[in-house]
Amino acid sequence: MSDYVIVEGSSIRDAIEKALEKLNCSRDEVNYQVLEHRASGFLGLGEKHVKLKVWKKLHIKEREEQEEVEKNREKLAEAEAISEKLDGYFTIDYRSDGVFLKIVPPKGDGAEVAFDDIKSYIVNKHIKDVDFNKVREAVEENFYEEIKIAEAQEEYKEDAKFEVEITKDKMKAYGILIPPAGGGKWLNEDEALSIIKEKGIVHGVKIDVVNRLIQKKQCNERFLIAEGDYPVHGKDAEIKFYFERNKKNVPVLLEDGRVDFRNLNLIENVTKGKLLASKIPVEKGVPGKNVFGEEIPPKEGRDFNLPVGKNVEVSEDGLNCFAGIDGQVLYIGGKINVYPVFEVAGDVDTSTGNIDFLGSVIVRGSVREGFKVKAEGDVEVYGTVEGAEIIAGGNIVLYRGIQGRDKGLLRAQGNIFAKYIEHSKIEAKGDVVAGDAIMHSIVNAGKRVEVGGKKGLIVGGIVRAGDEISAKTIGSSMATTTIIEVGINPIIKQNYLKTKEKLDRLEKDYIKTKEAVELLKKLESVGKLTHDKKYMLEKLYNTLNHLEKQLELSKKEIDIMREEVDEIDKGRVKALNKIFPGVSVTIGSATMKVRDDLVNVLLFKADEQIKIGSCV
């Protein structure tokens, strides 16, 4: 029946009555629309005619359903299209008179059932003695009736499985639930936990995870079902220092271009009994445990004593050290030392003779030509140094400078500071800092050479540094031969090669010893180890232990030195003003002869060549 009717009558009431009769409902159940309403005769006084469209009102539920259909009309159209394109499928039925196959045809443009799909299913279901020729024939001829493909047999069923994987380090175990096949039985929680136990997993089992994946049947996913406890490794002992170990006091550049050498504060004086360092004891490690319940030993922290040197006292518990005398505290050669301070009120000359002091030396005057000052600590000279030698276990500070007259020598295990350096030989493991100029001298610095002040001049001689050479001007307008070398620290490289050679020898000895131990162990296992050989085996075990410790120490040493060697070739040269022709610059293995003025430049090595950049 249509949802609406078109009716005509002499009035609206007459038309509606006709519509109600056709729609078989009451007046309250319909709505209407006037399609036509006219009257004949003069002034519309004649016969009247009405045409209506009348339809049933929808109930709320019907209206909502209709609105839902309208809203999802596109989805319905897609679903209808799907229903017109359905792939074929097949069923397998196990009966008392045989196993039967029925192929269901596709609809519309759907795909036909493939023989390989049926065969794969049959193989997986372990159906025996199947007539595959009959199956192929049914597929190729599109035979859609039921056919017998094998004699009667029980349907193959496979219960669910619970597979367990254990990581190589035995610290984690994963579980995978494999679903049952052919109506097989599912596992319960207790069965899964029993399988885990059978694998030897007894520690760190995540029972809640196992229960959840069994209950929710989370199949073919890998879940962490057990995890061991990792060992907590011990911590090395630590040393806390209460003084400045590595002073890097650099002279301050004043506004007028001069350099202030008077406020370096290099000497740190301490009184007897002053706390110099404390030791934070080593922390022991906590053993771990793998999923098999086996204990995993931790790596124990390294213990060491306070690095005590001269005139330093240690507390009874070995955890604190104090100054044993009044003097200057210095950290030299990895040791804490307190040196007395020796002060010369005037010059070092015939009135004092040479000075050799087991502490620090302060000279208020000058060091005259031909005299020597040697100190285990720092040396400070307020006057000039004239063709003299100064050797220090710490730093050397010349508040004025050195006029070496090709005889002067400054050698320091730390840094060297001087207002100027002329015609001298300078050696420092750390930095060499000149406040005004380095002229016609041989300078070797383990780290940096820096020349500031108004002139900031390096001219003549040879200046070498491990990391960087920085000045305002290098060379002169007279093309004075000046050799600049950076990125070269022959002492470090030589020590590295020596240690590397030692490590190689230790590794070879270790391998040979281990092979001999393995051979003797084989003889021991078959009862052919003589008394002499037993003694040899014990001796070789001790040798192995000794070599292992040496190897460990050498490897740590080589790792530290390798970082230093890697820094070679990374040096650079800075000239804030100019580098003149006549200067030769070597960075690592690359050399460049300067033939034209280089203004405000930064020289560095890249691609085995010296490159020129800007200082700004």
Side-chain angles (χ1 to χ4, degrees):
M1 181 181 290
S2 176
D3 294 336
Y4 66 91
V5 293
I6 305 294
V7 294
E8 297 181 15
S10 58
S11 65
I12 290 176
R13 173 181 277 183
D14 179 48
I16 288 175
E17 291 295 332
K18 292 177 181 178
L20 293 176
E21 186 177 345
K22 289 183 178 183
L23 293 172
N24 191 27
C25 60
S26 67
R27 176 67 181 80
D28 294 336
E29 295 179 291
V30 298
N31 280 332
Y32 70 91
Q33 177 185 3
V34 178
L35 300 178
E36 191 176 321
H37 191 183
R38 71 176 185 274
S40 61
F42 180 68
L43 297 177
L45 298 175
E47 186 179 350
K48 294 182 178 180
H49 179 77
V50 176
K51 187 177 183 180
L52 301 179
K53 178 180 180 180
V54 183
W55 65 90
K56 283 184 180 181
K57 293 179 182 178
L58 294 174
H59 292 298
I60 293 174
K61 186 175 180 182
E62 291 174 326
R63 187 182 302 116
E64 289 176 349
E65 288 175 351
Q66 185 168 329
E67 287 174 354
E68 186 68 22
V69 169
E70 290 296 328
K71 191 186 297 181
N72 294 286
R73 186 174 297 279
E74 187 176 331
K75 290 183 180 178
L76 291 172
E78 290 176 358
E80 187 176 5
I82 291 170
S83 69
E84 295 300 322
K85 186 182 178 181
L86 295 176
D87 293 342
Y89 64 95
F90 63 91
T91 61
I92 299 288
D93 191 16
Y94 294 81
R95 298 207 292 262
S96 60
D97 56 339
V99 180
F100 292 84
L101 166 71
K102 180 176 175 60
I103 299 173
V104 179
K107 289 187 178 181
D109 295 330
E112 294 279 359
V113 174
F115 170 73
D116 288 341
D117 292 339
I118 299 175
K119 182 178 179 181
S120 176
Y121 180 85
I122 290 171
V123 171
N124 289 335
K125 290 290 288 181
H126 300 274
I127 301 175
K128 299 174 183 176
D129 303 323
V130 174
D131 188 346
F132 283 108
N133 288 329
K134 187 182 286 187
V135 174
R136 185 184 295 277
E137 186 178 327
V139 171
E140 292 176 351
E141 295 184 6
N142 297 327
F143 186 76
Y144 301 124
E145 298 297 325
E146 192 175 67
I147 61 170
K148 181 178 177 180
I149 60 172
E151 294 302 324
Q153 56 192 276
E154 288 291 326
E155 181 179 0
Y156 172 77
K157 293 181 180 180
E158 186 175 17
D159 292 340
K161 296 178 182 178
F162 192 67
E163 296 182 353
V164 177
E165 298 176 358
I166 302 166
T167 57
K168 288 183 178 180
D169 61 2
K170 304 178 185 178
M171 291 303 293
K172 292 180 180 179
Y174 293 89
I176 303 171
L177 178 62
I178 308 298
K185 189 179 73 170
W186 285 94
L187 284 171
N188 61 38
E189 293 91 331
D190 290 339
E191 289 170 331
L193 291 171
S194 178
I195 291 171
I196 293 170
K197 191 173 181 180
E198 287 173 6
K199 295 288 185 180
I201 299 170
V202 295
H203 180 72
V205 178
K206 299 178 181 292
I207 296 175
D208 56 333
V209 175
V210 176
N211 289 342
R212 185 172 64 249
L213 75 91
I214 294 297
Q215 291 165 6
K216 293 187 176 182
K217 296 182 171 59
Q218 294 173 294
C219 299
N220 301 317
E221 293 184 56
R222 196 167 177 257
F223 290 92
L224 180 65
I225 59 169
E227 185 171 14
D229 297 320
Y230 288 89
V232 178
H233 299 308
K235 288 186 179 179
D236 295 347
E238 295 180 33
I239 304 296
K240 185 175 181 181
F241 295 89
Y242 299 102
F243 64 94
E244 187 65 45
R245 280 188 300 157
N246 301 306
K247 286 184 176 290
K248 293 186 178 180
N249 304 57
V250 177
V252 177
L253 183 65
L254 302 176
E255 291 182 2
D256 61 1
R258 293 181 298 110
V259 176
D260 182 8
F261 272 86
R262 295 192 175 276
N263 297 296
L264 292 178
N265 298 315
L266 285 176
I267 292 182
E268 184 174 349
N269 288 310
V270 294
T271 57
K272 181 178 180 179
K274 170 78 167 60
L275 178 62
L276 301 177
S278 296
K279 171 184 170 180
I280 301 171
V282 66
E283 289 187 19
K284 288 191 174 183
V286 179
K289 191 177 285 188
N290 63 29
V291 295
F292 295 115
E294 299 166 341
E295 188 174 285
I296 305 169
K299 292 180 181 177
E300 296 297 347
R302 291 184 302 118
D303 195 13
F304 43 80
N305 297 323
L306 286 163
V308 173
K310 295 182 179 179
N311 301 315
V312 177
E313 298 174 350
V314 182
S315 60
E316 288 185 8
D317 59 10
L319 298 180
N320 297 288
C321 64
F322 307 88
I325 61 170
D326 295 344
Q328 180 191 10
V329 59
L330 283 173
Y331 189 74
I332 299 175
K335 301 282 186 182
I336 303 170
N337 304 274
V338 178
Y339 293 115
V341 178
F342 178 74
E343 186 168 331
V344 180
D347 295 341
V348 175
D349 55 15
T350 54
S351 64
T352 62
N354 295 328
I355 295 174
D356 189 345
F357 187 62
L358 298 176
S360 296
V361 175
I362 298 175
V363 179
R364 295 294 176 181
S366 299
V367 181
R368 298 302 179 185
E369 184 175 345
F371 287 89
K372 296 180 181 179
V373 176
K374 184 178 180 182
E376 285 199 27
D378 293 344
V379 175
E380 292 189 31
V381 180
Y382 282 79
T384 58
V385 177
E386 304 168 353
E389 291 184 11
I390 298 178
I391 298 172
N395 303 306
I396 295 175
V397 181
L398 308 184
Y399 290 98
R400 294 182 68 178
I402 178 170
Q403 173 53 265
R405 299 167 186 168
D406 296 326
K407 302 175 185 177
L409 169 66
L410 303 181
R411 180 181 293 141
Q413 295 298 308
N415 304 318
I416 294 177
F417 303 95
K419 188 172 183 181
Y420 63 86
I421 297 169
E422 291 186 29
H423 293 278
S424 302
K425 185 176 182 180
I426 312 297
E427 297 175 6
K429 280 198 172 180
D431 300 338
V432 173
V433 179
D436 204 10
I438 296 177
M439 303 174 67
H440 307 287
S441 298
I442 298 173
V443 178
N444 289 285
K447 294 182 179 178
R448 297 182 311 119
V449 172
E450 182 179 347
V451 187
K454 287 184 178 180
K455 291 182 179 179
L457 173 65
I458 297 176
V459 62
I462 302 172
V463 179
R464 301 186 182 98
D467 299 334
E468 179 180 284
I469 295 175
S470 175
K472 287 185 176 179
T473 302
I474 301 177
S476 73
S477 58
M478 302 298 291
T480 306
T481 299
T482 306
I483 298 172
I484 302 295
E485 296 180 356
V486 293
I488 299 170
N489 196 323
I491 296 174
I492 291 176
K493 193 164 185 178
Q494 183 179 354
N495 288 341
Y496 172 78
L497 293 174
K498 186 177 178 182
T499 306
K500 183 71 170 59
E501 185 179 330
K502 178 184 174 183
L503 180 62
D504 292 341
R505 177 175 52 78
L506 285 171
E507 287 177 338
K508 289 177 182 177
D509 290 347
Y510 181 82
I511 291 170
K512 289 177 182 177
T513 306
K514 195 170 184 180
E515 288 174 349
V517 167
E518 293 299 326
L519 178 61
L520 292 175
K521 283 170 67 179
K522 286 180 181 178
L523 291 174
E524 186 180 38
S525 66
V526 294
K528 293 185 177 181
L529 198 65
T530 64
H531 178 74
D532 291 344
K533 292 294 189 291
K534 283 182 180 179
Y535 174 75
M536 181 185 291
L537 180 59
E538 186 178 344
K539 186 177 179 181
L540 290 178
Y541 274 133
N542 292 333
T543 303
L544 270 182
N545 185 45
H546 182 80
L547 288 172
E548 281 176 356
K549 289 179 180 178
Q550 277 195 306
L551 275 170
E552 184 181 355
L553 292 173
S554 293
K555 284 178 180 177
K556 287 179 181 178
E557 186 178 357
I558 206 79
D559 286 342
I560 294 169
M561 296 177 74
R562 186 178 288 115
E563 292 179 8
E564 295 177 327
V565 171
D566 288 343
E567 291 298 316
I568 294 176
D569 287 355
K570 293 183 181 179
R572 58 185 193 170
V573 177
K574 290 169 65 176
L576 299 174
N577 185 14
K578 187 183 293 186
I579 300 180
F580 286 98
V583 174
S584 170
V585 178
T586 298
I587 301 178
S589 56
T591 299
M592 179 182 75
K593 304 285 187 182
V594 178
R595 305 190 186 285
D596 300 299
D597 291 353
L598 300 178
V599 179
N600 188 25
V601 292
L602 170 67
L603 305 183
F604 59 94
K605 185 179 176 184
D607 301 326
E608 301 303 318
Q609 294 182 342
I610 294 179
K611 305 287 186 178
I612 301 174
S614 173
C615 280
V616 180

